[in-house]
Amino acid sequence: DTGVSQNPRHKITKRGQNVTFRCDPISEHNRLYWYRQTLGQGPEFLTYFQNEAQLEKSRLLSDRFSAERPKGSFSTLEIQRTEQGDSAMYLCASSRGTSGGPTYEQYFGPGTRLTVT
Amino acid sequence: AQTVTQSQPEMSVQEAETVTLSCTYDTSENNYYLFWYKQPPSRQMILVIRQEAYKQQNATENRFSVNFQKAAKSFSLKISDSQLGDTAMYFCAFNNAGNMLTFGGGTRLMVKP
């Protein structure tokens, strides 16, 4: 299967701990997106990369959050000093695309469910 | 900033019947894309259908079709011949620059046997 994969699928952590999630996009996709989805709500945009460059960050992405895509392939999302309000599903998506070019569909991974106790 | 509103938190439909999910959006852009995504229980989000704003013809994908009213900023999804496997959360989403998607709050659809 060559879809978007995310690891781990579930993470339970204590408040104040750091956590890191990984996303592997579809191999030919140069764009990678992170979203956060709380229970019963639609996903909210966090950040996105085109190749290795982080092009946009939401104001939701506080300074405790950092995302990287060092070689333009997989990406990691780290949350430092987790808070209970960080409990959510973290979704990764990928697509083709270039700045100013056509809009392509985003394909989503299964998500990482974070529970902060 | 764009906003997307889905006014129906929950809907139900009998198997084999037709159901329409509503979506409205607000934008000052002229060129944009609209999507419907389906999220089955405990499963990942999948694309159902997309519509380019510059196209007047409504998109269709098998049993799924949209009613795109650009002036009214409305983008409803019609599911014909509903199947049990259509039970899911449905999200309407907006994209105007090939970047982030802005999602509505979702409609939970239950298909009853």
Side-chain angles (χ1 to χ4, degrees):
Chain A
D1 180 63
T2 58
V4 179
S5 62
Q6 292 186 246
N7 288 289
R9 295 290 305 276
H10 303 273
K11 179 71 177 178
I12 300 174
T13 191
K14 292 181 188 284
R15 188 177 54 187
Q17 297 296 303
N18 299 344
V19 294
T20 300
F21 311 140
R22 174 176 170 132
C23 171
D24 287 89
I26 293 171
S27 57
E28 61 265 30
H29 288 179
N30 62 328
R31 288 191 164 185
L32 186 147
Y33 310 80
W34 285 100
Y35 294 85
R36 181 171 69 187
Q37 184 179 24
T38 52
L39 203 59
Q41 303 297 316
E44 296 174 295
F45 169 77
L46 292 178
T47 188
Y48 94 97
F49 294 83
Q50 182 164 298
N51 302 312
E52 66 276 7
Q54 188 173 18
L55 295 189
E56 191 168 348
K57 292 194 289 187
S58 162
R59 65 183 184 280
L60 293 175
L61 210 67
S62 76
D63 55 9
R64 296 184 299 105
F65 287 69
S66 63
E68 294 182 342
R69 195 183 183 198
K71 296 182 180 179
S73 56
F74 72 92
S75 175
T76 57
L77 177 68
E78 181 183 17
I79 309 174
Q80 296 182 324
R81 305 181 303 281
T82 51
E83 302 172 355
Q84 287 186 323
D86 297 331
S87 295
M89 177 77 85
Y90 290 83
L91 298 172
C92 177
S94 71
S95 76
R96 295 184 289 160
T98 56
S99 298
T103 292
Y104 296 95
E105 292 86 357
Q106 295 182 22
Y107 294 83
F108 283 81
T112 295
R113 182 169 296 283
L114 173 66
T115 302
V116 182
T117 61
Chain B
Q2 289 77 29
T3 59
V4 179
T5 302
Q6 294 180 247
S7 59
Q8 305 150 316
E10 293 187 1
M11 293 193 72
S12 63
V13 63
Q14 292 295 133
E15 195 176 7
E17 297 196 342
T18 296
V19 64
T20 299
L21 308 184
S22 301
C23 173
T24 58
Y25 58 94
D26 188 22
T27 183
S28 57
E29 301 291 331
N30 192 46
N31 293 321
Y32 50 87
Y33 298 78
L34 295 162
F35 303 87
W36 279 97
Y37 279 88
K38 168 185 177 181
Q39 190 175 40
S42 301
R43 294 178 60 189
Q44 67 199 73
M45 189 102 62
I46 57 175
L47 179 68
V48 175
I49 198 165
R50 64 175 274 169
Q51 174 81 41
E52 292 89 343
Y54 63 86
K55 290 187 177 179
Q56 293 188 334
Q57 186 173 7
N58 289 324
T60 62
E61 286 288 341
N62 301 313
R63 297 183 295 107
F64 299 88
S65 61
V66 299
N67 183 4
F68 173 49
Q69 301 290 328
K70 190 172 184 180
K73 296 180 181 173
S74 170
F75 182 60
S76 61
L77 174 70
K78 185 170 83 171
I79 306 174
S80 304
D81 185 27
S82 297
Q83 300 176 359
L84 296 178
D86 295 333
T87 292
M89 284 289 289
Y90 285 82
F91 293 99
C92 177
F94 174 100
N95 185 324
N96 76 316
N99 304 333
M100 67 180 191
L101 288 167
T102 301
F103 286 87
T107 296
R108 184 178 304 278
L109 177 66
M110 172 73 72
V111 180
K112 297 180 178 179

